[in-house]
Amino acid sequence: MEKVIYAEQTLHGYANGHQLLASSCKLEMDDRKKMDELSDLSGRHDGVGFVDYYTGYPLDGGRKYVISKTWYAQEMMRPGCVWTHSLILDTDDLCHLLSISELMDSFHRPTNLNYEMYTHPLPLLVGEKKHFPPYDTQQLQYEIFTMCSSATPKYVLVDDASIRLENEFFMVLCSLPQEILKTFTFCTMSYDVRKDGDSVFQYQILPETRRIGLSRYYTQAVVCEEFYSIKKYPYWIDCYMRALLQNSLDSLYDFIRQYGAACVTLDFFSQFARLYFALNGETEISLTDYIDSVDTLFPSDRSISLKTVELVLNDRFFPNVFADQGYQILEIIEMKHLVLGKDQQEKLAYKITRSAPEKLYPYLKRYIAGALSTRACESVEKMIHILSPNALRKASCMDRNICFVLIRKNSELLFCPDIWQQPKDFQQEIICAINPDLEPEQLKNLLVVVLQVDAENISEDLYRVFGERLLPVLYDAFHVVRSPNRKRLAYWTPILLRNQKMLIEGLWSLPDLEWRQDLFLKLDVSNDGLLQHVKKNVWLRLYREFFAMGSSLNGKVDVAIQFFPVVFCTNYHFEDEFIRDVVGTVYRVVKANKMSSDTWSRFQYILPQVEDYQAWDRCLRIRRALEEKGYPISIVEP
């Protein structure tokens, strides 16, 4: 979108000495003095063959920029007089001028000593798309090369009769970023070496005839290679020219600015231009290759490499070409001996472990072999501490030794299901890496994973590590697991039976009814300590649970036999329904002579003895037992 800005104007010329003749604004004393000096003739000249020239320099600490044009004032009686028309612009506006031709055509030599036109601000158009004057491609490349290759002040020698560079010069000047313009000084035809105070002008075009007189200034500036002697320019020059003509240099400047304001100078301009145009070329460049190029272009400044790493880690690098290459920073840190701050190390760890955990594998191989530098080890260890269980397979490739080390460093990795789907010897080795003092919540999470995926039965191995503290956590884990595999549950039967008091108390909370009944049938209910420990209401709850499940007669008989010590060996007195179900079920099978000797032997030892001649009558012993406990025989024998 186009808009109008206003440039202030001044006219300098001779009137009892070279001085300000007209102005559209009031100048500060220092600025006026500077303009008085720099608007005068740039050297001695008699006016014969005089070439009009432009001069440019900053004012007001770089916030303003002066461009002026000087003509020889041959109409004046005093030799060496000149007219100089100056435009004073905001430096920020110079690089946004819409038309370079309009700028160059805005300078006017006074006529008839009429100075009125210089007393009003001059309107100029600014916009996003510049319009360029006629130009020569080779001369434009030459101007880019000589102006932007370095910050060293330069002399460009030309044969003033055969070549003029003003159009191309202003095309480049008005494309420079404001940070450079704030210190840039130039003169397009110096008849002597020009200086601003003690400093030689940044860029001066001089006639070839002045070469000999420059010798005493060589220590302050360099004489550029002549236009016709350059056969081929660096790649970045052609890229810069095309970007200039396409009005797309802002991206280059944004690229440089991301490294900090101190980098937007001619000291680093060509180096950054090379990097930028290489990134935007047809060949894809890796982050490692880019850092190698940075080190080549800035051999004594490691801050550029470090800043690059920080930008990539913060996802702020422009252009966004390294989004998926953060893992290469590990190698860069090691090879380049870069030192990241704590926050940056954490960002690196997060970026790799979340987006590319598989890239961590070669470093983990070297880490467990002790083949990493101290800095790289620190970075790898940070990644291990935040590596998620789901990323373990990619990061370790399920290498047994790597997994062992990772789990020693980060117990959260125990929750990776892939571990517990490996062969049993692999799992057993990993169990050896577990800290026996694992927090209860972590132990619970581990057991949940094992209950869900383990197919090798490592229950005994885990019990050896955690002992009795495993059991209460195991019951909590059973509450979390949904639809557990019955075979996998059975792995834990021997472990649960190690503490039968705890098992009875928590039996009905276990998953899978058939497994619960199997556990109940395996209880050693004849153990006096167990019988006296369990309260009556617990036995009743277990009775209701297992007699209500609709088992076959044989199943009910097995359950009933388990309750016989509860009925006949405790002080508890049960209701008739309980006795009818428990004792009556067994009594009816015995009475029908359908109980095997093996089954009878499981509980007959708790029944009263009878006379030898009555020993054959099993039912009699059951009735005697009921009588001794005060239950009526009619409960089982109507």
Side-chain angles (χ1 to χ4, degrees):
M1 182 176 178
E2 298 178 7
K3 69 175 185 178
V4 176
I5 63 166
Y6 290 89
E8 302 292 350
Q9 302 187 79
T10 65
L11 177 68
H12 286 79
Y14 183 79
N16 295 319
H18 184 78
Q19 62 179 288
L20 178 65
L21 302 178
S23 176
S24 66
C25 64
K26 184 177 180 180
L27 298 170
E28 296 291 334
M29 185 60 67
D30 289 343
D31 291 343
R32 178 167 179 169
K33 181 180 178 181
K34 186 173 187 176
M35 292 189 71
D36 287 346
E37 293 174 358
L38 295 180
S39 63
D40 204 354
L41 180 63
S42 60
R44 296 179 177 275
H45 205 280
D46 59 5
V48 178
F50 184 90
V51 177
D52 306 337
Y53 64 85
Y54 297 92
T55 305
Y57 50 91
L59 278 187
D60 190 21
R63 287 178 286 274
K64 301 289 185 180
Y65 200 84
V66 177
I67 299 178
S68 60
K69 186 171 185 179
T70 300
W71 300 266
Y72 194 79
Q74 64 271 8
E75 66 269 34
M76 294 293 178
M77 297 296 294
R78 185 176 182 277
C81 292
V82 293
W83 301 106
T84 296
H85 178 200
S86 301
L87 300 180
I88 307 173
L89 303 93
D90 287 341
T91 305
D92 296 352
D93 290 333
L94 184 57
C95 56
H96 296 111
L97 290 176
L98 188 63
S99 172
I100 306 302
S101 297
E102 180 188 20
L103 172 67
M104 298 177 69
D105 292 341
S106 297
F107 296 97
H108 298 286
R109 190 181 193 279
T111 57
N112 301 320
L113 302 181
N114 182 359
Y115 308 149
E116 173 63 25
M117 66 175 295
Y118 307 105
T119 62
H120 306 286
L122 178 72
L124 294 170
L125 290 175
V126 294
E128 296 179 358
K129 188 174 182 180
K130 292 186 178 69
H131 302 154
F132 302 111
Y135 65 91
D136 179 272
T137 298
Q138 290 184 318
Q139 291 185 185
L140 181 57
Q141 289 178 318
Y142 183 72
E143 283 302 301
I144 296 170
F145 181 68
T146 54
M147 291 175 67
C148 302
S149 291
S150 74
T152 305
K154 304 173 187 70
Y155 303 125
V156 174
L157 301 178
V158 297
D159 181 346
D160 55 355
S162 61
I163 185 170
R164 297 296 297 267
L165 298 169
E166 283 90 345
N167 283 2
E168 293 78 13
F169 170 81
F170 274 103
M171 290 173 66
V172 178
L173 178 77
C174 294
S175 72
L176 292 175
Q178 58 186 359
E179 293 91 337
I180 290 177
L181 290 172
K182 288 179 178 180
T183 60
F184 191 79
T185 52
F186 73 87
C187 187
T188 63
M189 182 54 69
S190 300
Y191 292 102
D192 197 359
V193 173
R194 303 216 71 179
K195 298 174 71 177
D196 179 11
D198 294 329
S199 301
V200 174
F201 264 37
Q202 189 76 42
Y203 190 84
Q204 299 179 70
I205 300 176
L206 291 83
E208 176 68 34
T209 55
R210 294 294 305 157
R211 177 186 294 272
I212 297 176
L214 293 175
S215 58
R216 62 192 177 103
Y217 292 101
Y218 280 171
T219 57
Q220 295 177 279
V222 297
V223 177
C224 294
E225 194 172 353
E226 294 184 41
F227 171 70
Y228 292 112
S229 66
I230 300 177
K231 304 302 181 185
K232 184 176 179 60
Y233 291 96
Y235 171 73
W236 74 270
I237 297 292
D238 182 65
C239 294
Y240 187 95
M241 180 182 69
R242 284 187 276 111
L244 186 156
L245 296 174
Q246 295 168 7
N247 296 288
S248 60
L249 283 172
D250 284 345
S251 295
L252 166 62
Y253 302 152
D254 289 341
F255 168 75
I256 302 175
R257 287 181 182 118
Q258 71 184 334
Y259 285 93
C263 292
V264 193
T265 67
L266 287 176
D267 294 281
F268 309 117
F269 196 78
S270 65
Q271 293 95 314
F272 280 117
R274 285 179 169 90
L275 292 171
Y276 174 78
F277 291 120
L279 288 175
N280 286 276
E282 295 180 357
T283 303
E284 184 175 341
I285 296 178
S286 70
L287 179 57
T288 303
D289 291 339
Y290 178 82
I291 294 294
D292 286 341
S293 299
V294 168
D295 286 348
T296 300
L297 293 171
F298 301 94
S300 60
D301 189 353
R302 305 303 300 278
S303 66
I304 306 299
S305 295
L306 187 59
K307 182 65 175 179
T308 300
V309 168
E310 291 175 352
L311 289 167
V312 172
L313 288 176
N314 292 326
D315 296 320
R316 290 172 50 204
F317 186 85
F318 175 83
N320 186 25
V321 293
F322 301 132
D324 299 320
Q325 298 185 29
Y327 64 90
Q328 294 185 22
I329 295 175
L330 263 179
E331 179 180 353
I332 292 167
I333 290 173
E334 185 176 16
M335 300 300 294
K336 306 298 183 181
H337 305 292
L338 298 180
V339 180
L340 297 183
K342 181 179 179 181
D343 289 346
Q344 298 303 323
Q345 287 184 352
E346 291 175 354
K347 289 179 181 178
L348 173 61
Y350 183 85
K351 183 175 288 289
I352 293 179
T353 55
R354 294 301 184 270
S355 63
E358 68 279 1
K359 302 298 183 181
L360 194 55
Y361 175 70
Y363 294 96
L364 292 173
K365 289 283 287 184
R366 293 164 61 193
Y367 174 73
I368 67 173
L372 285 180
S373 68
T374 301
R375 290 193 183 94
C377 279
E378 291 175 356
S379 296
V380 168
E381 286 174 356
K382 285 186 179 295
M383 294 176 204
I384 292 173
H385 286 304
I386 67 171
L387 190 68
S388 71
N390 290 335
L392 178 63
R393 172 176 283 278
K394 290 183 178 179
S396 68
C397 294
M398 298 315 293
D399 180 292
R400 183 177 306 189
N401 295 330
I402 290 178
C403 288
F404 186 94
V405 173
L406 294 188
I407 287 167
R408 293 294 291 267
K409 291 283 187 180
N410 179 3
S411 58
E412 295 287 323
L413 298 177
L414 286 168
F415 313 144
C416 173
D418 292 316
I419 293 176
W420 312 111
Q421 294 173 328
Q422 301 301 310
K424 188 167 185 175
D425 61 337
F426 183 106
Q427 296 185 42
Q428 289 173 327
E429 189 163 339
I430 294 302
I431 289 172
C432 293
I434 300 176
N435 180 0
D437 297 323
L438 203 64
E439 293 293 329
E441 188 63 27
Q442 289 185 311
L443 178 55
K444 174 184 171 182
N445 292 337
L446 167 61
L447 292 173
V448 168
V449 174
V450 172
L451 287 168
Q452 289 173 331
V453 305
D454 177 41
E456 295 289 346
N457 190 6
I458 56 167
S459 58
E460 291 286 349
D461 301 281
L462 288 171
Y463 187 81
R464 278 195 295 272
V465 172
F466 297 105
E468 281 292 307
R469 68 182 292 254
L470 175 76
L471 293 174
V473 182
L474 181 60
Y475 284 98
D476 287 342
F478 282 128
H479 293 161
V480 177
V481 179
R482 296 181 179 179
S483 303
N485 178 280
R486 186 173 298 165
K487 179 182 177 182
R488 201 171 289 131
L489 290 175
Y491 293 159
W492 294 92
T493 295
I495 304 301
L496 295 177
L497 288 170
R498 290 175 184 270
N499 189 327
Q500 297 196 13
K501 293 180 181 179
M502 186 180 297
L503 177 57
I504 288 181
E505 296 288 348
L507 189 59
W508 53 76
S509 65
L510 296 176
D512 193 89
L513 182 58
E514 289 187 21
W515 183 51
R516 293 200 297 272
Q517 179 173 301
D518 180 66
L519 285 166
F520 176 71
L521 294 176
K522 285 182 169 59
L523 286 170
D524 181 12
V525 292
S526 63
N527 183 288
D528 188 59
L530 181 65
L531 284 175
Q532 303 307 320
H533 170 78
V534 181
K535 295 179 179 180
K536 178 181 177 181
N537 66 314
V538 174
W539 292 118
L540 290 173
R541 183 170 182 176
L542 292 173
Y543 151 74
R544 288 192 294 270
E545 169 112 351
F546 298 126
F547 268 84
M549 63 179 293
S551 299
S552 64
L553 178 59
N554 289 337
K556 286 186 178 293
V557 169
D558 288 335
V559 171
I561 290 172
Q562 281 292 84
F563 281 105
F564 261 54
V566 179
V567 173
F568 298 116
C569 300
T570 69
N571 295 324
Y572 300 137
H573 186 85
F574 295 94
E575 289 74 14
D576 289 356
E577 181 185 2
F578 180 90
I579 300 300
R580 185 179 297 111
D581 282 339
V582 171
V583 182
T585 298
V586 175
Y587 185 83
R588 288 188 290 273
V589 173
V590 170
K591 185 175 182 180
N593 200 25
K594 293 182 178 180
M595 179 172 287
S596 68
S597 296
D598 286 342
T599 303
W600 172 255
S601 64
R602 286 167 51 192
F603 65 93
Q604 62 86 23
Y605 65 92
I606 65 175
L607 300 176
Q609 295 297 320
V610 295
E611 298 294 334
D612 289 343
Y613 69 91
Q614 295 174 317
W616 62 270
D617 190 349
R618 295 175 176 176
C619 289
L620 175 62
R621 295 182 65 186
I622 295 175
R623 291 195 301 271
R624 291 277 180 88
L626 288 171
E627 289 175 344
E628 289 182 2
K629 291 294 292 182
Y631 295 107
I633 302 301
S634 59
I635 294 177
V636 298
E637 186 77 73

